[in-house]
């Protein structure tokens, strides 16, 4: 079968023939239909310092997918051939304190598919049955392919109840836009999304996020009047990884405001902690998804009418992966999905 592989420890990826995976008793074999390209995949392609430190070679990359189960391991009883599925790409140990407490998203021994263990950018993919999520409602395959980053957005946006609150989302990449849409869907009064890229802001506006601003041109505080905000944002969702965006957010929060941080800074960030202390702000780090509570939330949000399909801006066959990665890497568009069917 074909697979997109980081063959050797240097920049680039290769579409190569590899053996079809064989499955163990507790695994299923999935025919991959669609995959999403994540920033992580771009880091691995470019072979940046993080990738050099973490990623073993050779390795099939990729962690965002949907597909159809085509074979069951001998011990798998709760899944069926033909099911339309995605999967949680974090394999947890099951034995650490968090795992034993049922908080698998906090496992200290997590292994991630596509950067630590083999990923899903291939025609067939083997996954432990316990990581598989069945799409029980009618979900478009392109949307099903991005449940992993949609889950990041939902996990972040649901950290703090948004009903009636004013929410600032910094970073209008696909995950930031999805988080803003979830906050809006959850009953926030105003959702303001910020980014330095006009293309991304335009995408956000086209999806119904009317308060999409470039903080380099429009100070965040200048929209308080038009939005009838008196004291600042109640909730902040930091999705950009920019230290400057976080500082700007902290400066514009109401006293007692709560901030969830998903964007990962590339380097240590300087923060004025006196503002956290005197304004009694809460900072909550967020990673991954709750296994499987966030997956349940994603499914029922879609079922309830939330539409995130607009963040997908480009669809290409996997054979055009080089073009797909170039589009994903130019930082202007939305989500890029590759078709493996
Ligand atoms: Zn664990």
């Amino acid at each position: 079968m074909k697979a997109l592989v980081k063959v050797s420890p240097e920049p680039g990826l290769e579409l190569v023939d590899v053996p079809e995976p064989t499955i163990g008793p507790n695994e299923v074999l999935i025919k991959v239909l669609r995959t999403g390209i994540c920033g992580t995949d771009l880091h691995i392609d470019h072979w940046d310092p993080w990738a050099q430190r973490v990623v073993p070679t050779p390795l099939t990359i990729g962690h965002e997918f949907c597909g159809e189960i085509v074979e069951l391991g001998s011990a798998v009883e709760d899944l069926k051939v033909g099911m339309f599925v995605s999967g949680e790409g974090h394999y947890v140990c099951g034995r650490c304190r968090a795992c034993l407490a049922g908080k698998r998203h906090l496992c200290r021994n997590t292994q991630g598919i596509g950067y630590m263990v083999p990923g899903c950018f291939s025609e067939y993919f083997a996954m432990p049955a316990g990581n598989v999520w069945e799409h029980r409602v009618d979900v478009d395959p392109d949307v099903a392919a991005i449940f992993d980053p949609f889950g990041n957005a939902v996990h972040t946006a649901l950290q703090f109840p948004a009903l009636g609150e004013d929410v600032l989302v910094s970073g209008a990449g696909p995950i930031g836009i999805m988080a803003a849409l979830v906050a809006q869907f959850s009953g926030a009064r105003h959702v303001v999304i910020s980014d330095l890229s006009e293309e991304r802001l335009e995408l956000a506006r086209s999806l119904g996020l009317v308060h999409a601003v470039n903080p380099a041109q429009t100070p965040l505080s200048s929209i308080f009047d038009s939005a009838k905000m008196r004291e600042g944002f109640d909730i902040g969702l930091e999705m950009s990884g920019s230290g400057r965006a976080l500082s700007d957010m902290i400066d514009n929060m109401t006293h007692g405001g709560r901030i969830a941080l998903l964007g990962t800074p590339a380097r240590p960030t300087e923060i004025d902690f006196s503002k956290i202390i005197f304004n009694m702000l809460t900072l909550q780090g967020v990673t991954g998804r709750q296994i499987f509570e966030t997956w349940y939330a994603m499914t029922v949000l879609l079922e309830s009418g939330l539409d995130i399909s607009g963040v997908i801006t480009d669809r290409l066959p996997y054979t055009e992966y080089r073009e797909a990665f170039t589009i994903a890497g130019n930082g202007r568009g939305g989500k890029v999905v590759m078709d493996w069917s």
Side-chain angles (χ1 to χ4, degrees), residues 4 90 105 130-131 160 166 192 231 287 291:
L4 196 52
H90 287 143
H105 61 293
N131 280 70
F160 307 114
D166 294 324
V192 176
E231 300 182 1
T287 191
I291 310 168

Side-chain angles (χ1 to χ4, degrees), residues 92-100 104 106-110:
V92 300
C93 76
R95 295 304 307 167
C96 71
R97 181 181 173 184
C99 281
L100 290 172
R104 290 182 280 177
L106 297 177
C107 175
R108 57 187 297 115
N109 304 310
T110 292

